[in-house]
């Protein structure tokens, strides 16, 4: 019997949850609540990193701190196996005022874990404890605790700091909780799983003047209104209807008085796609449409359009493996066959560009949406997700045949 085929050892715990993980779930939840009380923004996760490092060291991991700023990597090597597995959790919080009414609410005004990164960290730590004390594997395990996911820069910083040279892995996996998906259920996506994201800042520059004499001005408000309307055609007339693209104007600011035509109107946009070629098309056409539309009204469009981060594109072989591990451990009923790609974005994309792997979705039950001040990570998701990571490690890190 292979590790993939091994059934749960104790039928008194929910199917798929490893008994050793279930036995100390209160400790894992306590860790999560502690992290929740002390949220930290991107590259400020000093307390969080120190807590993670302390626990990993207690459990026998070789710990490296300061990777990519405030990142932590815990390494556990057993036997002579040559396989190397990476598991990643994000650790940063958001600048959102919490309004969930929790007994363990954020103690930092205006900051909260509104995306569940405290839960992701607790999941990986629960798996880390199990693998250190009970894990049966042969090879090298690298646990990557990544800062600054919310800004899209943490993964790149760790890579630039030699993540995969210093901690080589053959494959890497990550996960994210998802509201609306039943707790204890898992979603897997082949290929594009989350969208790329780029943010644009657009300035429509005209010539200000008196509102009673518009003929002497170049009205940037009028031009900007037509730009917004014209941008709605970018996806519908430039992207194959079978593909996904999003162009959203999220803010528009210009003018202060009813009788004054301003010089400038500023807009901000988010642009998203699954496929790299669609992303490139959207970037090109957004700039062209904005510039030419503004010019038609005598105005000028200036655009700042730095690249954000690419789409999360799961690798087929690695996705098939983790899906099979989930089916074997949890049964078909807890693996969602119809789980669809999400249009949100994740900088795990950079890790998947560097190494093969897959990004998994974990049910968070009936909760408020991600990034909501009323969002609550579901503690009931910790044990199933930690068990999935533990099962994956025990299945992947096996001695290869001679």
């Amino acid at each position: 019997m292979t590790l993939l085929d091994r059934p749960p050892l104790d039928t008194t715990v929910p199917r798929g949850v490893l008994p050793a993980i279930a036995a100390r779930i209160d400790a894992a939840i306590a860790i999560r609540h502690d992290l929740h009380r002390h949220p930290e923004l991107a590259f400020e996760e000093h307390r969080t990193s120190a807590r993670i490092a302390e626990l990993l060291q207690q459990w026998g991991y070789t710990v490296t701190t300061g990777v990519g700023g405030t990142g932590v990597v815990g390494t556990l090597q057993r036997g002579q196996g040559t396989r190397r597995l990476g598991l990643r959790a994000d650790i940063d919080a958001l600048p959102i005022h919490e309004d969930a009414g929790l007994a363990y609410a954020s103690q930092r005004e205006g900051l909260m874990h509104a995306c569940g990164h405290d839960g992701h960290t607790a999941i990986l730590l629960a798996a880390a404890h199990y693998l250190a004390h009970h894990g049966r594997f042969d090879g090298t395990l690298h646990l990557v605790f990544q800062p600054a996911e919310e800004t899209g820069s943490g993964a790149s910083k760790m890579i630039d700091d030699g993540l995969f040279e210093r901690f080589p892995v053959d494959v890497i996996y990550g996960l994210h909780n998802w509201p609306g998906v039943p707790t204890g259920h898992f979603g897997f996506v082949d290929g594009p799983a989350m969208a790329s994201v780029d943010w644009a800042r657009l300035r429509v520059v005209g010539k200000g003047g008196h509102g009673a004499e518009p003929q002497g001005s170049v009205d940037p408000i009028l031009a900007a209104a037509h730009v917004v309307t014209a941008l709605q055609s970018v996806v519908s007339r430039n992207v194959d209807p079978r593909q996904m693209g999003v162009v959203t104007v999220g803010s528009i600011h210009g003018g202060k008085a009813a009788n004054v035509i301003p010089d400038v109107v500023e807009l901000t946009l988010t642009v998203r796609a699954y496929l790299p070629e669609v992303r490139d098309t959207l970037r090109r056409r957004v700039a062209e449409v904005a510039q030419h539309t503004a010019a038609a009204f005598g105005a000028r469009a200036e655009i700042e359009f730095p690249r954000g981060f690419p789409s999360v594109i799961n690798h087929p072989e690695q996705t098939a493996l983790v899906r099979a591990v989930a089916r074997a451990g949890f049964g078909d009923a807890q693996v969602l066959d119809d789980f669809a790609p999400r249009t949100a974005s994740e900088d795990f994309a950079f890790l998947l560009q560097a190494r093969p792997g897959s990004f998994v979705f974990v049910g968070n039950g009936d909760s408020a949406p991600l990034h909501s001040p009323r969002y609550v990570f579901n503690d009931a998701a910790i044990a199933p997700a930690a068990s999935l990571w533990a099962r994956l490690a025990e299945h992947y890190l096996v001695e290869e045949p001679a």
Side-chain angles (χ1 to χ4, degrees):
M1 179 178 291
T2 68
L3 290 170
L4 179 60
D5 297 326
R6 190 182 68 213
L9 301 177
D10 184 351
T11 58
T12 64
V13 300
R15 179 168 184 178
V17 173
L18 294 165
I21 288 177
R24 67 178 308 275
I25 193 60
D26 288 346
I29 292 173
I31 291 169
R32 208 278 288 182
H33 290 188
D34 175 66
L35 297 175
H36 190 88
R37 289 188 186 95
H38 304 282
E40 296 172 304
L41 296 178
F43 299 121
E44 298 175 4
E45 310 97 329
H46 302 291
R47 182 189 184 279
T48 303
S49 295
R51 182 68 175 137
I52 291 167
E54 176 188 26
L55 291 169
L56 293 175
Q57 287 169 345
Q58 289 177 7
W59 301 337
Y61 285 80
T62 300
V63 178
T64 305
T65 59
V67 183
T70 46
V72 179
V73 179
T75 300
L76 195 62
Q77 194 276 331
R78 285 190 179 154
Q80 302 301 314
T82 59
R83 289 189 172 186
R84 304 163 300 183
L85 171 67
L87 299 174
R88 172 269 207 177
D90 38 16
I91 66 176
D92 57 323
L94 283 158
I96 296 175
H97 177 78
E98 186 167 9
D99 187 27
L102 299 174
Y104 54 90
S106 170
Q107 296 179 4
R108 302 192 65 195
E109 182 66 27
L111 303 184
M112 73 171 288
H113 274 290
C115 205
H117 295 185
D118 52 340
H120 304 164
T121 301
I123 287 166
L124 190 53
L125 287 171
H129 182 277
Y130 170 87
L131 291 166
H133 294 86
H134 310 283
R136 291 174 283 174
F137 66 91
D138 185 28
T140 302
L141 175 67
H142 292 301
L143 305 183
V144 179
F145 294 86
Q146 180 209 303
E149 187 281 324
E150 296 294 355
T151 63
S153 54
S156 295
K157 287 284 188 181
M158 294 192 84
I159 292 170
D160 291 344
D161 199 16
L163 174 66
F164 292 126
E165 290 75 30
R166 298 162 65 185
F167 312 98
V169 299
D170 305 308
V171 294
I172 188 159
Y173 289 86
L175 61 73
H176 207 292
N177 77 94
W178 211 262
V181 176
T183 310
H185 289 60
F186 301 95
F188 304 93
V189 180
D190 293 302
M194 299 186 78
S196 62
V197 59
D198 297 302
W199 296 278
R201 179 172 176 264
L202 181 63
R203 285 167 46 90
V204 178
V205 182
K207 178 184 176 183
H210 198 295
E213 298 182 345
Q215 74 280 6
S217 303
V218 175
D219 189 346
I221 291 180
L222 177 63
H226 281 269
V227 167
V228 172
T229 300
L231 287 174
Q232 307 313 303
S233 70
V234 169
V235 173
S236 67
R237 291 299 177 264
N238 294 273
V239 176
D240 186 322
R242 294 166 293 185
Q243 305 299 340
M244 189 282 291
V246 173
V247 176
T248 294
V249 179
S251 71
I252 180 168
H253 298 281
K256 294 182 179 179
N259 62 344
V260 178
I261 294 173
D263 287 317
V264 177
V265 172
E266 294 190 351
L267 306 90
T268 58
L269 292 76
T270 183
V271 179
R272 297 172 187 260
Y274 288 143
L275 299 180
E277 56 268 31
V278 174
R279 180 190 191 190
D280 291 340
T281 296
L282 294 180
R283 290 178 58 87
R284 175 176 57 82
R285 290 299 291 150
V286 163
E288 290 174 349
V289 168
Q291 289 163 351
H292 291 301
T293 302
F297 291 86
R300 183 176 77 256
E302 301 173 348
I303 188 166
E304 298 175 12
F305 210 166
R307 283 191 173 268
F309 38 103
S311 54
V312 173
I313 301 179
N314 288 334
H315 297 250
E317 181 180 346
Q318 286 69 38
T319 304
L321 174 63
V322 69
R323 182 188 284 115
V325 169
R327 286 194 190 281
F330 294 88
D332 291 342
Q334 289 176 244
V335 175
L336 303 172
D337 290 325
D338 59 350
F339 194 85
R342 270 33 188 175
T343 53
S345 303
E346 240 283 352
D347 79 342
F348 191 76
F350 289 114
L351 302 178
L352 289 179
Q353 285 186 332
R355 294 294 184 275
S358 191
F359 197 63
V360 178
F361 298 89
V362 178
N364 197 57
D366 184 17
S367 74
L370 300 172
H371 292 210
S372 164
R374 291 169 294 282
Y375 166 84
V376 178
F377 177 85
N378 192 335
D379 288 330
I382 295 175
S387 297
L388 178 65
W389 277 165
R391 290 177 178 279
L392 177 64
E394 289 187 321
H395 176 71
Y396 184 79
L397 295 175
V398 295
E399 185 176 3
E400 297 182 86

